Amino acid sequence: MSDSNSQREEILEPESKKIKIDHENGNGVTDTQLKLKDFILERILNNSTNRKSVCVLGKFKDKSGVALVHLEKNAFKEEDLDSVGYFSADTELKTFFQNDIYGNYECFPPSSVNGVKTTIIYPATEKHIAKYSQQQSHIVLETPELYDKLTLPHLEKEQFNLQWVYNILEGKSEQDRVVLDNKCEKEGFVLLPDLKWDGITKETLYLLAIIRQRGIKSLRDLDESHLPLLRRIRDEGKKKILEKYGVPGSQLRIYLHYQPSFYHLHVHFTYLKHEAPGIYAEKSHLLETVIDNIEMIGNYYKKATLPFTIREMDNIFNIYETNGHVQRIKQENIELIDK
């Protein structure tokens, strides 16, 4: 359910052999150099053929603690489909077969257009390992009573450190990535590219609006007093994205997650063509619908039953299982499903 600890994931430049990441703590940010050639693979946590990504666990030579390396194939950029990109003289084809008018090949384009989006989490915690591991998921229908009795005590106990969020809001880190900074303490927010986006490729556009006001954890905390904040995020976010990236509001998917990846209210902006993680009905709530629901019933999200997914390695799964709301899938049943 959670995304970040005091060590926050950073997207690494694929063309660089010397990897620079931010290592954050309560006193600010310091730089650490890591090299992928020093990474020692221990096991594969998740290999997604659908998303063309893989997450592996291992260690760096001469360093303590474990690390996660997440590799994901980049989306094609339209500007690279030219004589200096995929169709350049340096592109090579390996023939698999040819039959009449049909040919099947493996293409080796220039390295300049063949980067792999890479994220390193170091040192990684058990929660990070659980988050990135392939595992069974379940849907919980969370009533307000279940939220108060089970979910809220859990997230207050096990919430990840949010120092990386405060570093952004206080101007201590990632300021070169900020697209919009509204400094109003009550209705202000910072808009910047999500870590899953390279900040360039329009086809995978993904930005995050992080509110300045503290103490609002998720949808459950929203009421009519927050409508000006939500409208400002919607309107100013749309306007800025149109100005900077040329994507109109009608082609943006603007939504909140429940459960969120971290418990400081934030809003996702993605390109409508991009099938980003977490856009499905059991997790995603369109901002426009959230505003409309609160306009009709001021405390709607304090009364509503909200679905969310939990995975069997999440600690909260044990809580809901112990209280009889979910049941772990036995290994023999998994094998039958896979067949």
Side-chain angles (χ1 to χ4, degrees):
M1 288 173 61
S2 298
D3 193 310
S4 302
N5 202 343
S6 54
Q7 285 78 37
R8 186 193 179 199
E9 302 101 314
E10 284 294 342
I11 291 177
L12 311 174
E13 297 180 359
E15 68 273 14
S16 173
K17 292 183 179 178
K18 215 177 230 188
I19 306 300
K20 181 180 181 181
I21 66 170
D22 284 340
H23 181 100
E24 300 180 356
N25 52 51
N27 299 320
V29 179
T30 58
D31 287 336
T32 302
Q33 295 289 332
L34 297 174
K35 298 178 182 178
L36 287 182
K37 70 180 182 65
D38 294 331
F39 182 76
I40 303 171
L41 174 67
E42 293 187 352
R43 71 177 190 269
I44 297 172
L45 296 182
N46 195 345
N47 187 358
S48 172
T49 57
N50 182 43
R51 300 198 61 83
K52 304 295 189 295
S53 67
V54 64
C55 186
V56 297
L57 179 146
K59 295 181 178 179
F60 285 98
K61 291 179 182 177
D62 303 322
K63 292 186 180 293
S64 60
V66 298
L68 301 184
V69 176
H70 185 263
L71 306 171
E72 183 177 0
K73 296 290 183 70
N74 283 319
F76 288 98
K77 300 177 185 177
E78 293 182 4
E79 59 267 29
D80 291 334
L81 300 172
D82 57 17
S83 60
V84 296
Y86 288 95
F87 308 122
S88 74
D90 295 326
T91 297
E92 298 180 4
L93 289 180
K94 176 183 177 182
T95 303
F96 288 141
F97 73 84
Q98 277 186 299
N99 184 355
D100 192 28
I101 64 173
Y102 303 102
N104 197 319
Y105 312 88
E106 186 171 10
C107 176
F108 298 91
S111 60
S112 60
V113 297
N114 201 27
V116 175
K117 185 166 65 175
T118 306
T119 302
I120 292 179
I121 305 174
Y122 173 78
T125 67
E126 288 298 323
K127 292 180 184 178
H128 290 118
I129 295 171
K131 170 184 167 58
Y132 284 93
S133 295
Q134 189 170 14
Q135 55 187 292
Q136 298 296 319
S137 297
H138 301 255
I139 291 181
V140 167
L141 297 178
E142 181 196 74
T143 63
E145 293 74 25
L146 286 177
Y147 174 75
D148 290 335
K149 179 183 176 182
L150 302 180
T151 305
L152 184 59
H154 166 77
L155 69 89
E156 288 178 339
K157 178 182 178 182
E158 300 216 0
Q159 160 75 309
F160 273 133
N161 189 306
L162 292 174
Q163 188 58 47
W164 68 270
V165 173
Y166 305 145
N167 285 341
I168 293 172
L169 297 177
E170 295 167 7
K172 294 179 180 179
S173 65
E174 302 191 49
Q175 296 309 287
D176 58 327
R177 302 178 68 241
V178 171
V179 172
L180 173 63
D181 188 357
N182 184 313
K183 295 186 180 298
C184 175
E185 285 302 317
K186 187 174 182 180
E187 299 175 13
F189 63 96
V190 172
L191 181 69
L192 75 167
D194 185 271
L195 292 179
K196 290 180 281 295
W197 187 40
D198 60 12
I200 302 172
T201 310
K202 176 181 174 181
E203 289 76 11
T204 56
L205 180 142
Y206 196 147
L207 294 100
L208 210 61
I210 303 174
I211 70 167
R212 289 198 167 276
Q213 192 177 156
R214 301 193 185 189
I216 307 176
K217 297 181 289 297
S218 71
L219 273 178
R220 284 291 188 195
D221 295 324
L222 293 175
D223 58 35
E224 63 270 24
S225 68
H226 302 115
L227 285 173
L229 166 65
L230 299 176
R231 294 181 185 125
R232 185 178 291 250
I233 291 173
R234 176 195 63 192
D235 298 341
E236 293 186 8
K238 282 183 178 181
K239 181 180 178 181
K240 190 63 180 181
I241 291 173
L242 177 60
E243 291 174 356
K244 187 171 179 64
Y245 304 108
V247 178
S250 59
Q251 290 190 308
L252 289 174
R253 182 187 290 109
I254 310 172
Y255 56 97
L256 296 88
H257 279 156
Y258 193 80
Q259 295 283 335
S261 52
F262 58 93
Y263 290 94
H264 178 104
L265 193 75
H266 55 284
V267 178
H268 303 255
F269 289 75
T270 64
Y271 193 27
L272 199 56
K273 293 181 180 179
H274 178 40
E275 294 186 10
I279 62 172
Y280 303 108
E282 70 275 12
K283 188 175 181 69
S284 177
H285 299 255
L286 290 176
L287 178 59
E288 209 61 78
T289 302
V290 171
I291 291 173
D292 190 50
N293 286 339
I294 297 175
E295 285 176 340
M296 289 189 295
I297 304 174
N299 60 349
Y300 177 91
Y301 288 100
K302 299 186 190 312
K303 292 183 173 183
T305 294
L306 298 177
F308 69 87
T309 57
I310 51 177
R311 302 183 304 169
E312 292 186 358
M313 287 178 66
D314 296 335
N315 286 338
I316 195 171
F317 181 89
N318 297 327
I319 296 172
Y320 271 85
E321 183 182 36
T322 300
N323 285 272
H325 298 286
V326 288
Q327 184 175 358
R328 194 175 303 272
I329 299 177
K330 296 180 180 179
Q331 184 61 38
E332 54 266 31
N333 292 336
I334 295 174
E335 293 172 356
L336 287 173
I337 293 170
D338 290 340
K339 292 178 181 179

